[in-house]
Structures are given as C-alpha cells and as structure tokens.
Amino acid sequence: MYIVLLGAPGAGKGTQAAMLVEAMGLVQVASGDLFRKALQQETELGKTAKLYMEKGQLVPDEITIKMVLERLGEPDCKKGVILDGFPRNIKQAMALDKALDEQSEGIDKAVYIKVTEGELIKRLGGRWVCRNCQTSYHETENPPKVTGKCDRCGGELYQRDDDKPETVRKRLEVYFAETAPLIEYYTKAGKLLEVNGEGSAAEVNKRLLAALS
Ligand code: AMP
C-alpha cells in the first residue's frame, strides 16, 4: 500500500504520518527528514540539500527522486508506505508513478490535508521539533510537558532554520506554485481524498482514518 500525504508546510503531514504508522503499521518515508539526516551526517547529499533548504527552495528533482526511490527499495518498505513531503511537484509524481508501475504497484490514495494560510503561518512560527524522533510541538497550541524536551523520547526540541518567517514565506510560495497542482493530478487519477486539517492532531487523525477506510 502506498499513501501520499499532500499539504502545505505546517499542514500536519509529519504528525499525521507518524499517527498513521502506529494505526496502520506502515512505514513513514519523509523526504525532508531524509535530507535533514543527510545534513546532520554532513554527507555530500546533505551539503547539497542545505543550499536549497535554507532558502526554502526545492532540492533539484534528480537528487530528490533518486534518494526517495532508493529508500522505497529498502526491505521495510514492503510493509507499505506513507509518503510525507514527496512528491512535491508533477515531475516527482510522474517519476514515482513510473517506478511503482514497473513493480506492478501504484499509489492507493493521496490525502490532501487542507489548512488555511493564516493557520499555517501561525503553526510554523511556534513549531518545535524533536531532534531525535521528529515529533512536532507548538509553543502555545501543543506544548511539551517539560519545556525543550520531547514527551515521547526525552529528546531535545529545536526550531528548524527554515521555520524563520522569511523562509516560511518562500516555502509557501513554492508550495502554491509547484505542489498544489498535485491536487488536480491525483483528482484526475481518481485517488484524491480531502481532509480538513484544522483542529487538534487527534481530531484530524480521526477524519483521516475515516476517509481512508
Ligand atoms: P519538509 O520537512 O517536508 O518541510 O522539507 C524541508 C525542505 O526539504 C524543503 O523546504 C525542501 O528544501 C526540501 N525537500 C523536502 N522534500 C522535498 C521534495 N520532495 N522535493 C524537493 N525538495 C524537498
């Protein structure tokens, strides 16, 4: 099974993907997390990705597609995958369709998590993320029990460099220009589900599970 989570930065894709992993036993493949890991490990891929990430731009398709398809080829992905942050444009979606088609597979559903622009800006501004397990918190809406510490694993919380206001603006611009057209792409393919992404993570998850069932 392959499920794509679509939505703007801050829509809650990462949070919902982690909840779906628990509920459905699938594997989360998050392109942003793969890039951040490479960046932390200071690999060549990480150094290249950093140049784009810090400006809020997309990492070039050839690099991104290769990285994600390699990840999808790993044995744990046989359990089924939730794609979070990939595809991010039509070229990536077509490359994914082609690669899955070659294995007689395909995307089962693309779930669009819809959140208003004002809410996205508010969420990204106060977002803190666990360095260890990537769980997201919000300083006022969903604070951790102990400031600076992850409730789930005790890891250190940090604010992403690309959550700074000027980079957020650029990321949203890129989202509307490049990623939003995927809503039409998956609608035409008869695969799109739309879910209201406002409210608590638990409420959104309930809607998402209902839509997928
Ligand atoms: P995310 O964690 O999904 O918000 O991604 C953080 C950053 O990683 C993005 O702003 C891009 O610079 C890069 N990135 C993540 N996924 C992709 C993708 N599918 N295509 C190109 N760049 C990506």
Side-chain angles (χ1 to χ4, degrees):
M1 174 178 260
Y2 291 87
I3 296 173
V4 169
L5 291 188
L6 284 178
K13 297 186 298 295
T15 302
Q16 292 304 323
M19 292 171 95
L20 286 181
V21 163
E22 293 216 347
M24 301 175 74
L26 305 176
V27 173
Q28 176 184 5
V29 173
S31 43
D33 288 349
L34 295 175
F35 283 132
R36 277 183 290 278
K37 196 166 144 203
L39 210 142
Q40 227 171 22
Q41 294 172 340
E42 297 183 3
T43 62
E44 282 310 309
L45 170 70
K47 284 179 202 161
T48 309
K50 184 169 187 271
L51 302 174
Y52 299 91
M53 292 171 81
E54 62 192 10
K55 294 191 203 122
Q57 295 169 351
L58 294 186
V59 178
D61 288 333
E62 312 78 74
I63 299 175
T64 307
I65 291 167
K66 181 170 180 284
M67 174 186 77
V68 174
L69 294 185
E70 273 174 17
R71 175 68 189 94
L72 292 179
E74 288 174 14
D76 61 330
C77 289
K78 297 272 174 291
K79 287 192 267 185
V81 175
I82 299 174
L83 282 153
D84 156 14
F86 182 93
R88 217 48 165 236
N89 59 27
I90 301 279
K91 193 169 167 199
Q92 294 180 9
M94 289 172 76
L96 177 64
D97 280 346
K98 183 166 173 274
L100 294 181
D101 192 45
E102 281 164 9
Q103 304 163 36
S104 308
E105 298 269 11
I107 296 297
D108 294 277
K109 291 286 170 207
V111 188
Y112 168 41
I113 306 176
K114 190 174 179 182
V115 173
T116 60
E117 199 173 341
E119 176 70 14
L120 295 171
I121 292 169
K122 192 172 100 187
R123 286 188 187 178
L124 292 169
R127 176 158 80 172
W128 289 78
V129 184
C130 175
R131 233 182 247 292
N132 180 45
C133 72
Q134 321 303 325
T135 299
S136 272
Y137 298 86
H138 189 277
E139 31 187 57
T140 54
E141 306 298 313
N142 173 31
K145 292 196 181 88
V146 179
T147 307
K149 271 206 166 169
C150 177
D151 292 351
R152 274 177 81 187
C153 73
E156 179 203 1
L157 303 186
Y158 78 109
Q159 284 195 292
R160 280 171 46 174
D161 277 349
D162 59 353
D163 280 348
K164 283 185 293 207
E166 62 278 17
T167 320
V168 163
R169 266 196 300 278
K170 179 68 192 167
R171 286 165 65 208
L172 289 175
E173 216 179 280
V174 169
Y175 167 76
F176 287 111
E178 301 229 17
T179 312
L182 289 177
I183 296 167
E184 199 189 330
Y185 179 88
Y186 286 114
T187 302
K188 278 190 178 152
K191 299 194 170 158
L192 195 86
L193 296 172
E194 185 177 309
V195 166
N196 173 5
E198 309 229 356
S200 72
E203 281 163 0
V204 177
N205 192 245
K206 240 181 168 173
R207 289 178 207 138
L208 218 154
L209 286 173
L212 281 171
S213 71

